[in-house]
Amino acid sequence: MAEVEAVQLKEEGNRHFQLQDYKAATKSYSQALKLTKDKALLATLYRNRAACGLKTESYVQAASDASRAIDINSSDIKALYRRCQALEHLGKLDQAFKDVQRCATLEPRNQNFQETLRRLNTSIQEKLRVQFSTDLRVQKMFEILLDENSEADKREKAANNLIVLGREEAGAEKIFQNNGVALLLQLLDTKKPELVLAAVRTLSGMCSSHRARATVILHAVRIDRICSLMAVENEEMSLAVCNLLQAIIDSLSGEDKREHRGKEEALVLDTKKDLKQITSHLLDMLVSKKVSGQGRDQALNLLNKNVPRKDLAIHDNSRTIYVVDNGLRKILKVVGQVPDLPSCLPLTDNTRMLASILINKLYDDLRCDPERDHFRKICEEYITGKFDPQDMDKNLNAIQTVSGILQGPFDLGNQLLGLKGVMEMMVALCGSERETDQLVAVEALIHASTKLSRATFIITNGVSLLKQIYKTTKNEKIKIRTLVTSDKTILYSVATTLVNCTNSYDVKEVIPELVQLAKFSKQHVPEEHPKDKKDFIDMRVKRLLKAGVISALACMVKADSAILTDQTKELLARVFLALCDNPKDRGTIVAQGGGKALIPLALEGTDVGKVKAAHALAKIAAVSNPDIAFPGERVYEVVRPLVSLLDTQRDGLQNYEALLGLTNLSGRSDKLRQKIFKERALPDIENYMFENHDQLRQAATECMCNMVLHKEVQERFLADGNDRLKLVVLLCGEDDDKVQNAAAGALAMLTAAHKKLCLKMTQVTTQWLEILQRLCLHDQLSVQHRGLVIAYNLLAADAELAKKLVESELLEILTVVGKQEPDEKKAEVVQTARECLIKCMDYGFIKPVS
């Protein structure tokens, strides 16, 4: 019975294969393999499953299945040829050549085998030629770089070529095989910034998506040396080394999404030890005085990105537990730094905020109450251990630490405020004569006083001191903080004052004719005050930001609902919107917690207030890194306010900046794309793609370019009875380069995801071929590259469609582009054109020149 069922499943698989449902066919063949022991049937099933593997581009599986069929019958010509095809796609040309050679021996008159033999022979010869020339090029580059007498422009060119070569898999392997790591270490030893930078960037390319190489490079360069390079004052160097470490971490952890297999997998048994060592060194960097502010920021960025789980559905949070046990005290030390003290570590404006974000992410990543209690106890022991009646600086660090935690996990911060002596120490520091003590204390009181119980303590014990500070201090930062802290009942008054300072109230449009009429009838006509002009407003905004107004606003937003009315929320939203007007100021706003503070204002309050807050969020989301601006799960709360701005009742600027914000968010993760989709933003985005306004159309198209990566959006394009694909194709033919670029990106991703869309593209408009040719000849390299990717997707989708493209002028375009000598800028364009030509050769439509 099992054998009969196996035969039936084989027939079922054949039917699925004929209907081009290769996944279903694979499933049927796999089920049949479990039921039969008949060797002839086993060989057929393995051979058929290999055919499915070729169709679904699972070449490793296809080669494996074909080999199993050949093990049963060494003369199975179909299995031999299928293994040859799979090996060719895997780049194993010599093995593929041997298989097709056997096929040609068994069937010498088969033209297909003869053609494949010729093609592989040509490819092998070309590969050998390129390999030989690449080896020489690599050797020559290092000779130029290591020769102190080389001309500066030659060294620069050699360095750039080495970086480009390191980014390509074949080039990276050539550098690696030609003693490249040792030579790159020599470049590092020169200590010349431009050579060290070139070496770091080359190493980064070599580590990307290759676990074995990443492991060898990590051990050869050593993690302590990598960290010392990242610790330098040079921002460009620090960032480049950060990228190198991120490439190593991605490869070791499997975050590069690459399938590691074969010999490479055998070389690397366990990467956990290396990853733990990297984490340990990053934590040590946080408290080292030798590390620059830039280096400390990069270490915090790496920890923020790689330690907490990206998906809370994953059970394992061992990396977070390790960091809590071995590094939480070090992170708390960074949070507690006071810039004006002599003992302060080198910092940037963002360092303490990044440390607060890390504390917040670690706390959110804990799974149960015992883990959170352990976290809290470490914080309590650290803070209470700092209290020292003989050393005011230590007390200052303790209060600054509490202040930093309150900007991260607020419930934890609130528990720490209950520790004996914390609130008393804050009030006591207010009475100090040192401005540094006053500033830290008042900043901490702002964050502490958002709970009514804490505010009552402050009013009872500290208002007189705060008033005294306000009267005597000349420091504007301290003044504005004491004003906000000392009396919570004046929130509305403070908010109104800030609205006036920033001119963020609604201004009615002045109609000149009505002004003349009013003057004629001797009515009073209010005139604009000289200090309400834009230059003066900008100056006031700068002074407010410098004085730390964002911290004060963030504190006001956290106040109890009994104190913070909807009208006050609206005023605060107006102020935030005015402060966000200049893109250069948005980094400061984010660093001081403005992104987090805006979210509740956009979700609750008056309709006008919610719109203003949503617009301010859009401005921040458009230009900021969402992971820093809206850490943790907060980023998902930003989506709904932005989508609410995609409304015809909102003005064009609000529409435009909301689209920019959604574009930035949709480029971060599929989970965010799913959230945007579920908020029903897709129809609105599509509507703006029809807009006559160039900037709105461009922003909407760029947003759609990111959204098409989401499976449910792709299904909308696959569905019959809509013009979505037609619109994208036609936008590729627009005169606006930016619209073209975004539309071509969307089309490239859609045609790569579904072969059905490749065929559908040719049916939606008669202009499709002309538009495609224009893209492939575009002056702008990014547009041209996307056009060539679309061409490759169409060629790979269907033989008949490929034939149609080859018979058009597109073949000539591909040939011209493919023959160009690739430099750093054109490398991707030329390579993609060549891949298109190779695909044409695979079909036998064109032949290589001998």
Side-chain angles (χ1 to χ4, degrees), residues 422-607:
V422 170
M423 293 296 293
E424 290 81 357
M425 179 57 71
M426 286 184 191
V427 173
L429 284 171
C430 288
S432 169
E433 292 181 1
R434 283 199 309 181
E435 279 194 351
T436 302
D437 297 354
Q438 295 172 5
L439 185 60
V440 169
V442 177
E443 181 77 43
L445 286 171
I446 284 176
H447 296 297
S449 61
T450 54
K451 286 287 179 187
L452 199 58
S453 57
R454 310 291 178 202
T456 305
F457 177 92
I458 295 164
I459 290 165
T460 306
N461 299 281
V463 166
S464 57
L465 275 172
L466 289 166
K467 286 180 178 177
Q468 184 62 30
I469 291 172
Y470 182 76
K471 288 176 185 175
T472 57
T473 186
K474 293 180 180 179
N475 188 317
E476 293 294 330
K477 287 184 179 181
I478 297 174
K479 274 198 172 187
I480 195 164
R481 283 161 172 73
T482 55
L483 180 66
V484 172
T485 314
S486 56
D487 187 357
K488 282 289 177 179
T489 60
I490 64 163
L491 280 185
Y492 184 83
S493 304
V494 172
T496 305
T497 305
L498 291 173
V499 167
N500 287 328
C501 286
T502 56
N503 267 31
S504 48
Y505 43 76
D506 291 328
V507 180
K508 291 182 180 178
E509 185 182 356
V510 178
I511 302 169
E513 290 82 359
L514 291 180
V515 172
Q516 292 299 325
L517 187 63
K519 285 181 177 178
F520 181 74
S521 58
K522 296 183 180 179
Q523 295 291 324
H524 172 67
V525 178
E527 294 181 1
E528 184 183 49
H529 193 280
K531 290 193 176 179
D532 279 344
K533 289 181 179 176
K534 193 174 188 309
D535 289 348
F536 282 101
I537 297 168
D538 291 345
M539 199 182 300
R540 291 200 295 271
V541 165
K542 291 285 181 193
R543 290 191 69 182
L544 284 168
L545 286 169
K546 194 173 179 181
V549 70
I550 298 298
S551 299
L553 290 170
C555 154
M556 294 162 78
V557 170
K558 290 178 186 174
D560 284 348
S561 56
I563 300 169
L564 186 66
T565 63
D566 284 352
Q567 287 72 26
T568 306
K569 287 180 187 176
E570 181 185 318
L571 295 174
L572 294 177
R574 288 177 182 277
V575 175
F576 266 119
L577 182 56
L579 296 172
C580 290
D581 191 54
N582 189 338
K584 291 179 182 177
D585 295 331
R586 293 173 199 170
T588 305
I589 292 166
V590 167
Q592 294 178 10
K596 288 190 294 183
L598 271 165
I599 294 171
L601 295 178
L603 298 173
E604 297 171 0
T606 65
D607 290 341

Side-chain angles (χ1 to χ4, degrees), residues 714-739:
Q714 292 172 8
E715 287 170 1
R716 294 287 182 96
F717 278 88
L718 282 165
D720 295 325
N722 69 75
D723 287 334
R724 288 189 177 90
L725 190 64
K726 181 178 179 179
L727 172 62
V728 174
V729 174
L730 292 175
L731 286 173
C732 288
E734 286 277 318
D735 293 330
D736 187 319
D737 286 353
K738 290 182 179 177
V739 172

Side-chain angles (χ1 to χ4, degrees), residues 126-138:
E126 177 64 17
K127 186 178 179 182
L128 288 169
R129 186 185 67 77
V130 171
Q131 184 177 338
F132 183 68
S133 65
T134 302
D135 290 350
L136 286 176
R137 278 171 60 208
V138 171

Side-chain angles (χ1 to χ4, degrees), residues 70 74 76-84 99 102-103:
I70 294 163
S74 60
D76 189 334
I77 201 161
K78 287 185 178 178
L80 280 165
Y81 190 61
R82 284 170 191 169
R83 187 169 71 177
C84 160
D99 280 346
R102 285 180 65 190
C103 293

Side-chain angles (χ1 to χ4, degrees), residues 665-827:
L665 294 179
S666 60
R668 301 303 294 178
S669 70
D670 197 57
K671 202 172 173 185
L672 272 168
R673 288 189 284 274
Q674 185 179 28
K675 175 68 175 172
I676 293 168
F677 182 83
K678 286 190 173 177
E679 290 293 340
R680 300 178 182 176
L682 201 66
D684 293 321
I685 296 167
E686 287 171 343
N687 287 339
Y688 287 108
M689 288 169 73
F690 284 101
E691 268 285 340
N692 289 326
H693 193 287
D694 289 344
Q695 285 181 300
L696 278 175
R697 189 165 74 254
Q698 174 201 323
T701 310
E702 286 174 350
C703 190
M704 184 59 75
C705 181
N706 287 342
M707 288 299 296
V708 296
L709 289 167
H710 186 55
K711 187 180 175 183
E712 289 177 89
V713 177
Q714 292 172 8
E715 287 170 1
R716 294 287 182 96
F717 278 88
L718 282 165
D720 295 325
N722 69 75
D723 287 334
R724 288 189 177 90
L725 190 64
K726 181 178 179 179
L727 172 62
V728 174
V729 174
L730 292 175
L731 286 173
C732 288
E734 286 277 318
D735 293 330
D736 187 319
D737 286 353
K738 290 182 179 177
V739 172
Q740 264 190 311
N741 195 44
L747 194 56
M749 285 183 276
L750 286 168
T751 51
H754 296 281
K755 290 181 179 179
K756 184 181 173 183
L757 288 174
C758 294
L759 298 170
K760 189 175 179 181
M761 174 185 161
T762 65
Q763 297 160 4
V764 292
T765 173
T766 55
Q767 300 170 43
W768 70 272
L769 186 54
E770 181 191 340
I771 289 169
L772 180 59
Q773 290 171 355
R774 282 178 60 193
L775 290 177
C776 294
L777 286 169
H778 206 281
D779 294 337
Q780 196 170 307
L781 289 174
S782 61
V783 179
Q784 186 181 22
H785 178 241
R786 293 175 181 202
L788 290 165
V789 171
I790 297 164
Y792 178 83
N793 294 340
L794 298 185
L795 287 166
D798 180 74
E800 284 299 315
L801 177 54
K803 189 176 180 183
K804 189 172 182 179
L805 289 170
V806 169
E807 289 169 353
S808 73
E809 292 175 9
L810 186 68
L811 179 60
E812 189 180 341
I813 295 168
L814 294 173
T815 307
V816 170
V817 177
K819 282 183 178 178
Q820 293 179 50
E821 192 63 36
D823 56 24
E824 185 182 358
K825 291 180 180 177
K826 290 185 179 178

